[in-house]
Amino acid sequence: MVSRMNIENDTVEITSGVRFGRTIGSPISMVIKNKDWENWQKIMSVDENELMIDPSLRITRPRPGHADLPGIFKYHENDIRNILERASARETAVRVAAGALCKCLLKEFNINILSHVVNIGGIQASAADFKFEIISKKITMSELRCADKNAEKKMKKIIDKAKSEGDSIGGIFEILVQNIPVGLGSHVHYKRKLDAAIASALMSIQAIKGIEFGLGFKMASLPGSKVHDEIFFNSKKKDSLKFGFYRKTNNAGGIEGGMSNGEIIVIRAVMKPIPTLYKPLRSVDINSKKPFKASIERSDICAVPAASIVGEAVTAIEITDFFLDKFRADSLVELKDNYENYNNLYKGFSLE
Ligand SMILES: Cc1cc2nc3c(=O)[nH]c(=O)nc-3n(C[C@H](O)[C@H](O)[C@H](O)COP(=O)(O)O)c2cc1C
């Protein structure tokens, strides 16, 4: 699982937008150098060189489950390498870096985000009852970012088995967002819905094939009385996020009508098994049209823990976008002021 991590031991270089450790409003540029680049300078050269006319270097056997086949038609290419390098999830490294910046901003408002693995190859972790802080602590001690130790052991076995069989394995990760104020997102326009934006960002991660919020797909088999979170009020629960209104359940996963409702946001994403298999699947050569086993690129067996970190990052980016949309400001001081103003607005619980 970790072979790629050995060459992708990333550090981020910030080249603009920050002075003396503080952002100054201009765009922040970040560079993540790929150690493997040394080995690929000639074959991926920007300038023409002798390799460009060497047909034996071309990749012509598309891998099922990848961008390879649709990509060559869309971009009229005769070398699948021109498709697969950009389609690679390597692109997500910089999204993780951007997400880290967003998390810094959100932390100023006590908003925390975590992700953890809840299923690999059908092995289900029973972390659903753990609180945010407990999960957060447990995953730091887990190689697979799984809060359930017993399940993790079984998950490792299933990954090893897939490896020994030249196969790959997928799974599910969960993202939790804590201390979100009521009212991020909007019901008034489809592009302003918080759940739609988060789902779209998560679906943009390579190999993610489904998203659910709260009870998610289980809602299909339950009546409304068992799904919707009843509303209560207690003036003593006057916390600034929900203005005294509260729920005993959170089946909605913290979003109603495209808006945060103040409960923890609960999202799960399913990742398909990695498409590059060491025991390759059948495919057809794009030139000869003859059947072949698909080509093998260096590949992971299971990337669900890595994908969960990407999922956490893109969620942080979306939440930040919606947070800034709601509390618009040009400085952190102003942003805090706007945020406090909103919280003070309903102190007397009157909407008149
Ligand atoms: C963190 C991460 C790591 C991945 N690693 C690999 C890999 O090593 N080999 C591979 O074939 N696919 C890998 N993928 C998945 C492919 O990039 C993805 O399946 C492919 O680009 C096709 O896109 P689609 O699955 O969204 O249709 C990875 C995805 C993620 C999110």
Side-chain angles (χ1 to χ4, degrees):
M1 202 186 88
V2 289
S3 61
R4 304 200 66 180
M5 287 180 186
N6 295 335
I7 51 162
E8 291 167 359
N9 188 4
D10 296 327
T11 49
V12 181
E13 194 188 335
I14 296 178
T15 53
S16 78
V18 178
R19 185 174 184 228
F20 303 140
R22 290 169 68 97
T23 58
I24 52 173
S26 48
I28 299 170
S29 315
M30 292 182 286
V31 179
I32 302 173
K33 291 206 169 113
N34 194 342
K35 276 194 191 168
D36 207 24
W37 168 238
E38 304 292 325
N39 306 321
W40 290 84
Q41 285 198 54
K42 210 158 175 197
I43 205 164
M44 293 304 291
S45 169
V46 171
D47 299 316
E48 294 182 358
N49 67 29
E50 70 280 8
L51 295 186
M52 64 183 280
I53 49 164
D54 182 351
S56 70
L57 282 175
R58 287 187 199 144
I59 298 177
T60 57
R61 299 175 192 179
R63 296 160 302 166
H66 253 284
D68 302 1
L69 188 61
I72 53 153
F73 288 112
K74 176 160 173 75
Y75 292 104
H76 197 74
E77 290 288 353
N78 60 10
D79 184 353
I80 291 172
R81 182 161 303 288
N82 289 342
I83 306 302
L84 71 85
E85 294 296 350
R86 180 58 192 171
S88 162
R90 180 66 185 151
E91 158 273 311
T92 60
V94 81
R95 290 206 258 174
V96 172
L101 288 181
C102 293
K103 280 164 81 173
C104 290
L105 180 79
L106 295 173
K107 213 164 181 54
E108 292 288 328
F109 300 88
N110 205 23
I111 297 172
N112 300 307
I113 304 186
L114 73 73
S115 63
H116 63 122
V117 171
V118 295
N119 185 317
I120 284 184
I123 306 293
Q124 186 67 41
S126 60
D129 299 332
F130 291 151
K131 292 253 176 310
F132 189 98
E133 288 73 16
I134 296 173
I135 297 173
S136 175
K137 212 165 157 189
K138 281 181 182 267
I139 55 171
T140 58
M141 296 176 283
S142 159
E143 256 184 283
L144 297 182
R145 298 176 60 74
C146 175
D148 177 347
K149 255 190 168 170
N150 286 331
E152 188 188 24
K153 271 190 208 149
K154 292 181 194 160
M155 289 171 179
K156 280 184 181 168
K157 276 195 184 146
I158 221 166
I159 294 169
D160 289 342
K161 185 169 177 282
K163 187 175 182 180
S164 68
E165 291 168 354
D167 219 326
S168 62
I169 206 98
I172 300 173
F173 61 83
E174 183 175 80
I175 298 163
L176 303 175
V177 191
Q178 190 190 41
N179 298 332
I180 282 278
V182 175
L184 298 197
S186 174
H187 62 286
V188 302
H189 190 272
Y190 63 92
K191 294 230 180 216
R192 292 181 58 196
K193 289 180 186 245
L194 182 61
D195 43 1
I198 292 174
S200 170
L202 285 166
M203 283 299 294
S204 78
I205 301 170
Q206 291 80 348
I208 300 304
K209 293 298 149 197
I211 309 294
E212 62 176 15
F213 289 85
L215 214 50
F217 288 99
K218 287 199 186 99
M219 290 184 194
S221 32
L222 292 169
S225 56
K226 298 259 177 347
V227 168
H228 302 297
D229 308 303
E230 290 180 301
I231 300 170
F232 302 92
F233 180 79
N234 181 347
S235 59
K236 291 202 181 89
K237 278 189 183 274
K238 238 182 182 177
D239 77 58
S240 58
L241 298 172
K242 292 174 278 188
F243 315 117
F245 295 88
Y246 70 98
R247 319 292 176 106
K248 293 180 182 170
T249 53
N250 183 21
N251 293 333
I255 302 179
E256 288 170 310
M259 290 168 283
S260 56
N261 65 8
E263 302 296 326
I264 286 189
I265 295 181
V266 184
I267 315 151
R268 275 177 296 278
V270 58
M271 182 180 198
K272 73 183 188 187
I274 275 176
T276 305
L277 304 187
Y278 283 99
K279 204 171 80 188
L281 296 169
R282 284 175 296 180
S283 181
V284 175
D285 189 287
I286 54 170
N287 292 334
S288 70
K289 316 290 187 299
K290 286 200 176 121
F292 277 106
K293 295 283 184 183
S295 63
I296 303 173
E297 287 297 307
R298 186 189 56 234
S299 188
D300 296 323
I301 307 299
C302 172
V304 182
S308 75
I309 292 170
V310 183
E312 185 178 320
V314 302
T315 304
I317 294 169
E318 291 308 314
I319 299 271
T320 303
D321 229 12
F322 280 85
F323 190 88
L324 292 176
D325 181 58
K326 174 100 185 85
F327 301 111
R328 292 168 195 276
D330 294 316
S331 69
L332 188 57
V333 178
E334 193 186 357
L335 192 62
K336 285 191 169 169
D337 213 37
N338 293 350
Y339 179 71
E340 260 172 49
N341 262 343
Y342 176 64
N343 290 333
N344 290 336
L345 206 58
Y346 298 118
K347 272 212 163 132
F349 307 116
S350 166
L351 291 172
E352 284 170 47

